[in-house]
């Protein structure tokens, strides 16, 4: 049996309290109910992965992810992790409707493989750069005064050294969103913005919001998923008529979606997330998108430093990602994990990762 054969698979809930609910147009997550995946190889190396279901985005839940692992033995035990493309194909065939479970396994798989090779995942993907600069999210909120809450969050972000604010929009009426964005613009006068509607608008509403912003519109780098996932013409229209770069996120859940984007000729950017695509497909789509000249964003669901360190290795390894949205560990209380990238304000430093993605499980750290 090769030393890199999978001999054991374990999963457990990874529940992490959030400092405040992570609100988007379609709902909010008050606690991260993720899943920790551990793959052990014949050589004794253990790889760690994380599945991060976000029900309001994809309908996936922690329970649904855990259920998939009833089949884990058949799919994984006895397989050599060097065959990661065949393993990935088998996972997509069996678990295609629960991509975050596939991501959990593939993160653990590449962690185990690269640890066995004695290298980091950053080296595996190419080490194009050792630093990334992330944005920080200004979430939607249930606060009675959403404008004051957004101003407080924006001022804090500026104090902590963030230059790009990703503002979740699409929950409140347009006049409230307009007032909120204007207030954020004043609270963070030198910040750039990404708007993310998570598909919450139609074309008319998205364009109305952009027009209402006046000069503030010129500080918007990207408008992420302004309209519904299937509305390719709408995404392109918001980009062309609205005069801002549009990035597809919910629209890109696999190869056929990516092919549809290319066929439609836009929009000009796409958000790559392992939770939607797994690691292998995220890697493949990122490579082809870069070759075809599309703008790349790296993002995630509400993930700890575990899944985020894997994504950081993918983005910094391949290089060429114009936008980095890897901020959700900042919204979390203590979790039973140590290591990964070092963060100072907006900067994620990957130069001292160690092996794999660098993150280790330490149950002693858990608080709840
Ligand atoms: Mg998004």
């Amino acid at each position: 049996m090769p030393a890199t054969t999978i001999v054991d698979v374990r999963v457990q809930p990874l529940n992490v309290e959030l400092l405040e609910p992570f609100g988007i147009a379609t709902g909010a997550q008050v606690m991260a109910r993720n899943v920790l995946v551990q793959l052990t190889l014949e050589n004794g190396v253990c790889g760690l992965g994380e599945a991060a279901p976000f029900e309001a985005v994809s309908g996936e839940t922690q329970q649904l992810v855990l259920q998939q692992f009833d089949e884990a033995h058949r799919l994984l035990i006895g397989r050599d992790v060097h065959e990661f493309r065949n393993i990935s194909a088998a996972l997509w065939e069996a678990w295609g409707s629960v991509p975050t479970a596939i991501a959990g396994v593939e993160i653990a798989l590449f962690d185990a493989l690269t640890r066995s090779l004695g290298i980091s995942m950053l080296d595996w993907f190419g080490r194009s750069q050792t630093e990334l600069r992330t944005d920080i999210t200004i979430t939607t909120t249930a606060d009675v005064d959403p404008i004051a809450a957004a101003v407080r969050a924006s001022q804090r972000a500026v104090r902590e050294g963030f230059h790009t604010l990703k503002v979740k929009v699409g929950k409140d009426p347009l006049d409230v969103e307009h007032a909120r964005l204007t207030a954020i613009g004043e609270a963070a006068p030198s910040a750039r913005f990404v708007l993310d509607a998570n598909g919450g608008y139609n074309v008319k509403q998205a364009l109305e919001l952009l027009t209402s912003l006046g000069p503030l519109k010129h500080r918007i780098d990207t408008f992420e998923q302004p309209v519904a996932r299937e509305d390719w013409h709408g995404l392109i229209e918001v980009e062309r008529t609205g005069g801002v770069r549009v990035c597809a996120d919910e629209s890109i859940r696999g190869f056929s979606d990516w092919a549809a984007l290319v066929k439609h000729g836009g929009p000009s950017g796409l958000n790559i997330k392992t939770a939607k695509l797994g690691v292998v497909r995220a890697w493949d789509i990122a490579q082809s998108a870069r070759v075809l000249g599309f703008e790349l964003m790296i993002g995630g669901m509400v993930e700890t430093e575990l899944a985020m360190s894997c994504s950081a290795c993918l983005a910094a390894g391949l290089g060429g990602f114009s936008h980095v949205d890897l901020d959700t560990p900042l919204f979390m209380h203590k979790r039973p994990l140590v290591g990964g990238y070092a963060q100072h304000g907006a900067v994620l430093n990957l130069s001292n990762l160690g092996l794999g993605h660098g993150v280790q499980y330490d149950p002693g750290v858990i608080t709840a």
Side-chain angles (χ1 to χ4, degrees), residues 169-234:
V169 296
K171 176 175 167 276
D172 291 315
L174 282 175
D175 58 329
V176 177
E177 294 290 22
H178 170 256
R180 183 167 158 262
L181 284 164
T182 305
I184 292 170
E186 284 165 11
S190 58
R192 306 286 303 173
F193 299 102
V194 173
L195 306 186
D196 187 1
N198 291 99
Y201 289 134
N202 58 34
V203 172
K204 186 169 168 283
Q205 292 167 322
L207 292 175
E208 222 172 289
L209 179 66
L210 287 173
T211 305
S212 78
L213 293 177
L216 189 59
K217 193 181 90 170
H218 303 298
R219 290 166 60 191
I220 299 172
D221 281 335
T222 299
F223 196 164
E224 218 185 311
Q225 201 69 43
V227 299
R229 140 175 176 79
E230 307 80 8
D231 189 1
W232 294 105
H233 295 292

Side-chain angles (χ1 to χ4, degrees), residues 166-319:
K166 171 159 160 169
V167 186
K168 292 289 190 181
V169 296
K171 176 175 167 276
D172 291 315
L174 282 175
D175 58 329
V176 177
E177 294 290 22
H178 170 256
R180 183 167 158 262
L181 284 164
T182 305
I184 292 170
E186 284 165 11
S190 58
R192 306 286 303 173
F193 299 102
V194 173
L195 306 186
D196 187 1
N198 291 99
Y201 289 134
N202 58 34
V203 172
K204 186 169 168 283
Q205 292 167 322
L207 292 175
E208 222 172 289
L209 179 66
L210 287 173
T211 305
S212 78
L213 293 177
L216 189 59
K217 193 181 90 170
H218 303 298
R219 290 166 60 191
I220 299 172
D221 281 335
T222 299
F223 196 164
E224 218 185 311
Q225 201 69 43
V227 299
R229 140 175 176 79
E230 307 80 8
D231 189 1
W232 294 105
H233 295 292
L235 291 169
I236 292 168
E237 194 181 337
V238 172
E239 180 155 65
R240 290 197 184 142
T241 311
V244 294
R245 184 166 74 207
V246 167
C247 174
D249 181 4
E250 280 82 351
S251 296
I252 301 290
R253 289 188 189 154
F255 289 142
S256 56
D257 293 334
W258 166 228
L261 186 152
V262 174
K263 194 181 119 212
H264 285 94
S268 63
L270 63 157
N271 190 339
I272 300 280
K273 292 177 177 169
T274 64
K276 299 183 300 186
L277 301 164
V279 181
V280 174
R281 290 187 175 189
W283 182 9
D284 290 350
I285 291 175
Q287 290 284 48
S288 56
R290 201 170 52 158
V291 171
L292 294 173
F294 287 87
E295 296 277 344
L296 282 170
M297 179 186 290
I298 187 84
M301 299 298 174
V302 183
E303 298 166 4
T304 71
E305 58 269 66
L306 202 173
M308 293 248 135
S309 286
C310 173
S311 296
C313 288
L314 183 74
L318 298 178

Side-chain angles (χ1 to χ4, degrees), residues 327-351:
D327 64 332
T328 53
L330 302 172
F331 290 81
M332 294 176 166
H333 276 300
K334 247 178 160 184
R335 51 270 178 200
L337 301 163
V338 290
Y341 54 70
Q343 181 157 9
H344 303 285
V347 177
L348 312 182
N349 188 315
L350 289 88
S351 48

